[in-house]
Amino acid sequence: MNGITGHSLFRRLEHAAALLLALLWMAPLLYAVWAAIHPPEYAIHFDLLAPISLENFQVAWSRAPFARYFLNTFILVTTILAAQFVLCTLAAYAFARFEFPGSGIAFALVLLQLMIMPEVLIVENYKTMSQLGLVDTISGIGLPYMASAFGIFLLRQTFKTVPKDLEDAARLEGCGPLQVLWKVYVPLARPTYVAYGLVSISYHWNNFLWPLVITNSVTTRPLTVGLAIFGAPESGVDWSIISAATLLAVAPLLVAFLLFQRQFVQSFMRAGIK
Amino acid sequence: MSSVPKISQRYVVGWLLLMPAAVLLAMFTHYPAVATLAESFFSSGSAIRPSEFVGLDNYRLMLDDEVFWKVLRNNAWFAVGTIPVSIGLAILMAVWVNSRMPLQGFVRMCYFTPTVLPMIAVANIWLFFYTPEIGLIDQISGALGFGSHNWLGDPDTVLGCIIVLAIWKEAGFFMIFYLAALQAMSPELEEAAQLEGASRWYFFRRVTFPLLMPTTLFVLINAVINSFKLVDQLFILTKGGPDNASSLLLYYIYEVAFSFLDQSYASTLTVVLLAILAVIAICQFVFLDKRIHYQ
């Protein structure tokens, strides 16, 4: 019996430690919320009776074109996702079901992008974009990411698990390759699309380096780049307002995450174990 | 209908399906990788002086460039400081979240939240933590009777600050992979161990940890890649300073290309980064189960 009480005491300590670490992990976000909803003089000292106000959000919103940044990020993320779905589906189908000559080498060349991400090639890709006249455009930000090795790989794995009989049945009914893809493979791969979509959206909502390099005006800058300019020490904006702006920028993704937490975690898991 | 045209027809369809993605990949991954290598053998052109072939001059310049060696050293320390701790924490988090405990969902959410937040945004918050005197860390250390410290302004502590932020940002992301692996593990193993009277620590050391090895290798590879890719925080926290004490290779490449406008030298530095990534790729190929990619 002694062993069991000692055991459960240890368990309780463990639970306490887990909870403490969780709170520590949340602390930066909680602090940002504190600073954002209180007047600036409370940003550096904590008083439970401090008055709550949303003025910081109004000030942040009016000092930088955040509405435009939101629109840019939204267009960017949806364009990339739509293009990725189309391009990766087609390529994954080719790798999963068509054994054409050179497919092995082609697949290895595709996987190369898992190592050499577009972030690493900013110097050359900037040159290419200026030759194409796409510097400072939203397509310029998105293009290097549209053919995603990760997406192709993930969908190929999923398509391979689809029973061949289903394809044969569809073919007997007179479906061409694209119809088979659309009617058999795509519906069966829905969970993979959701998983990949969530990973892609969070990646591109948060992406910074390449958008920073390739944009230079308000009409193209995504939120991350806008926020970096807004929060620069030279801008002389105080903490409360930066916190408010930071929360504004992360709000849509954060709210989506808190609402669909289970799906997010499972999507990242699904994407990770393939 | 003979089978020969049917097969070659499938070849054509296969290539056609692949074509759109292949064109974009070739344009923005394969071509620039090769072009970077070529560029590194030329001088930077200007309006009056066209670029010309200079052989290995850029590389000689690089070997004599103290900043290059410094950012490479920083990058190595950044990787060494970030990876073991974040992987260790990730395993701990996954084991906790996977066991029955109160507030399990809440705890998992807390661990994972940093992953969905943009680095730029969280760096803004952490900047305040590190600010001397009024920042949160100095306030706490002040209350405990320690003096104030310019965490980001001191070359001895700045890289540590960057490492702590990176650990916080990444541990929850790595936890996900371990969680997936733990959930795929048979619960009978633990039941059997309990019947045998094995302690939890013994069970973890002798059963769980070895079974997690493939996951650890996978996470390790990703962590090493990330340590060369993750530079967003520097734009907010330090701009690589003071005196390049916190600069990392990719950040230096950005500076050389877009602040000092020396494209050739930036290409030469990029070749080093590509070489490092190639070594990682080879390690992955040798150590990681090939199954993961080629099944």
Side-chain angles (χ1 to χ4, degrees):
Chain A
M1 277 300 157
N2 243 343
I4 290 173
T5 42
H7 180 76
S8 74
L9 178 70
F10 183 70
R11 272 289 169 101
R12 274 198 202 145
L13 279 176
E14 236 187 300
H15 294 161
L19 199 60
L20 195 69
L21 189 69
L23 292 175
L24 197 66
W25 244 237
M26 269 312 229
L29 195 64
L30 294 178
Y31 168 74
V33 173
W34 168 273
I37 62 170
H38 292 106
E41 58 270 27
Y42 292 97
I44 54 168
H45 72 245
F46 298 93
D47 181 352
L48 283 178
L49 299 173
I52 288 174
S53 89
L54 296 177
E55 210 192 315
N56 294 320
F57 290 99
Q58 285 166 355
V59 174
W61 189 262
S62 65
R63 283 215 200 150
F66 279 112
R68 182 71 218 204
Y69 294 155
F70 264 106
L71 181 68
N72 295 340
T73 292
F74 182 75
I75 296 172
L76 174 71
V77 169
T78 43
T79 316
I80 291 180
L81 188 64
Q84 281 175 334
F85 274 176
V86 175
L87 293 174
C88 298
T89 302
L90 295 177
Y93 186 40
F95 284 126
R97 286 292 181 250
F98 293 81
E99 280 177 13
F100 50 93
S103 65
I105 296 172
F107 192 51
L109 282 172
V110 167
L111 291 184
L112 205 64
Q113 200 212 28
L114 291 177
M115 283 290 153
I116 309 174
M117 305 76 49
E119 284 80 26
V120 177
L121 297 163
I122 47 175
V123 182
E124 279 306 319
N125 278 344
Y126 185 85
K127 276 190 207 163
T128 308
M129 287 303 171
S130 49
Q131 278 157 8
L132 294 172
L134 289 174
V135 171
D136 204 22
T137 61
I138 292 181
S139 1
I141 314 174
L143 265 177
Y145 295 98
M146 286 175 181
S148 146
F150 180 58
I152 294 173
F153 177 71
L154 217 54
L155 285 169
R156 169 184 175 269
Q157 300 298 90
T158 311
F159 289 166
K160 282 201 150 197
T161 62
V162 173
K164 261 238 161 90
D165 298 351
L166 290 175
E167 171 163 4
D168 294 340
R171 279 189 186 279
L172 279 178
E173 284 178 22
C175 291
L178 285 180
Q179 276 173 308
V180 172
L181 177 61
W182 182 246
K183 287 188 175 157
V184 178
Y185 287 92
V186 172
L188 286 173
R190 250 191 74 178
T192 307
Y193 284 106
V194 173
Y196 177 64
L198 285 178
V199 174
S200 169
I201 290 170
S202 20
Y203 188 90
H204 291 287
W205 191 284
N206 298 342
N207 199 16
F208 173 72
L209 184 60
W210 172 245
L212 171 76
V213 165
I214 200 74
T215 61
N216 50 38
S217 63
V218 169
T219 50
T220 53
R221 246 175 234 146
L223 267 172
T224 44
V225 180
L227 185 64
I229 296 171
F230 184 74
E234 307 90 83
S235 67
V237 184
D238 65 40
W239 287 114
S240 308
I241 294 168
I242 290 178
S243 297
T246 304
L247 287 180
L248 283 175
V250 303
L253 204 58
L254 191 65
V255 169
F257 167 64
L258 295 178
L259 287 179
F260 303 107
Q261 200 218 122
R262 193 165 278 278
Q263 284 89 332
F264 260 89
V265 173
Q266 272 166 2
S267 295
F268 274 79
M269 254 193 220
R270 183 185 285 271
I273 48 181
K274 291 282 163 156
Chain B
M1 202 161 65
S2 73
S3 67
V4 179
K6 216 176 160 190
I7 283 177
S8 67
Q9 200 192 346
R10 283 186 76 78
Y11 290 174
V12 174
V13 175
W15 274 108
L16 283 177
L17 289 169
L18 180 59
M19 205 42 74
V23 169
L24 282 180
L25 274 170
M27 272 178 84
F28 299 109
T29 299
H30 305 116
Y31 162 74
V34 175
T36 300
L37 185 63
E39 183 81 8
S40 70
F41 298 113
F42 285 83
S43 64
S44 287
S46 64
I48 26 171
R49 213 161 37 95
S51 85
E52 53 181 31
F53 183 78
V54 293
L56 293 174
D57 275 7
N58 287 321
Y59 289 92
R60 269 185 220 114
L61 190 76
M62 183 175 78
L63 294 180
D64 289 336
D65 178 6
E66 275 172 40
V67 180
F68 165 69
W69 291 110
K70 194 165 193 174
V71 298
L72 214 53
R73 262 199 313 276
N74 286 346
N75 227 142
W77 281 118
F78 178 66
V80 169
T82 314
I83 296 168
V85 181
S86 53
I87 289 185
L89 274 175
I91 295 178
L92 194 64
M93 287 170 169
V95 169
W96 277 341
V97 168
N98 194 46
S99 68
R100 271 187 301 275
M101 63 177 284
L103 297 170
Q104 190 185 23
F106 170 77
V107 168
R108 187 184 58 189
M109 181 196 77
C110 291
Y111 293 161
F112 190 66
T113 300
T115 303
V116 293
L117 300 176
M119 189 53 134
I120 283 297
V122 299
N124 270 332
I125 304 172
W126 280 76
L127 179 60
F128 176 70
F129 288 177
Y130 289 136
T131 305
E133 293 182 30
I134 60 165
L136 206 61
I137 293 178
D138 264 15
Q139 283 199 40
I140 293 171
S141 75
L144 295 174
F146 297 100
S148 109
H149 184 77
N150 188 356
W151 297 96
L152 295 173
D154 180 347
D156 292 330
T157 53
V158 64
L159 198 56
C161 293
I162 305 289
I163 289 172
V164 170
L165 170 57
I167 291 170
W168 173 80
K169 185 85 171 73
E170 289 201 293
F173 178 56
F174 297 152
M175 170 194 76
I176 292 297
F177 301 105
Y178 285 108
L179 203 50
L182 286 175
Q183 289 182 355
M185 248 181 233
S186 157
E188 284 151 27
L189 281 173
E190 187 155 14
E191 283 160 21
Q194 271 169 0
L195 283 178
E196 297 280 322
S199 74
R200 282 184 77 213
W201 169 240
Y202 183 85
F203 177 73
F204 175 80
R205 207 160 42 90
R206 301 303 291 265
V207 182
T208 313
F209 188 71
L211 284 175
L212 287 177
M213 218 51 204
T215 312
T216 301
L217 277 171
F218 174 80
V219 169
L220 185 68
I221 297 280
N222 276 291
V224 176
I225 296 175
N226 274 355
S227 68
F228 286 96
K229 205 180 79 169
L230 203 67
V231 296
D232 296 0
Q233 68 277 31
L234 300 180
F235 286 87
I236 297 283
L237 290 177
T238 65
K239 305 247 186 295
D243 190 23
N244 294 307
S246 65
S247 190
L248 301 172
L249 184 53
L250 184 56
Y251 188 81
Y252 187 45
I253 291 174
Y254 167 83
E255 273 191 318
V256 170
F258 299 103
S259 301
F260 314 150
L261 301 174
D262 189 345
Q263 304 273 322
S264 296
Y265 190 45
S267 296
T268 313
L269 293 166
T270 307
V271 170
V272 175
L273 185 51
L274 289 176
I276 293 171
L277 292 173
V279 171
I280 300 170
I282 292 166
C283 290
Q284 171 166 32
F285 196 75
V286 173
F287 293 122
L288 264 190
D289 202 343
K290 279 196 201 171
R291 215 158 35 94
I292 290 176
H293 276 176
Y294 288 93
Q295 193 177 354

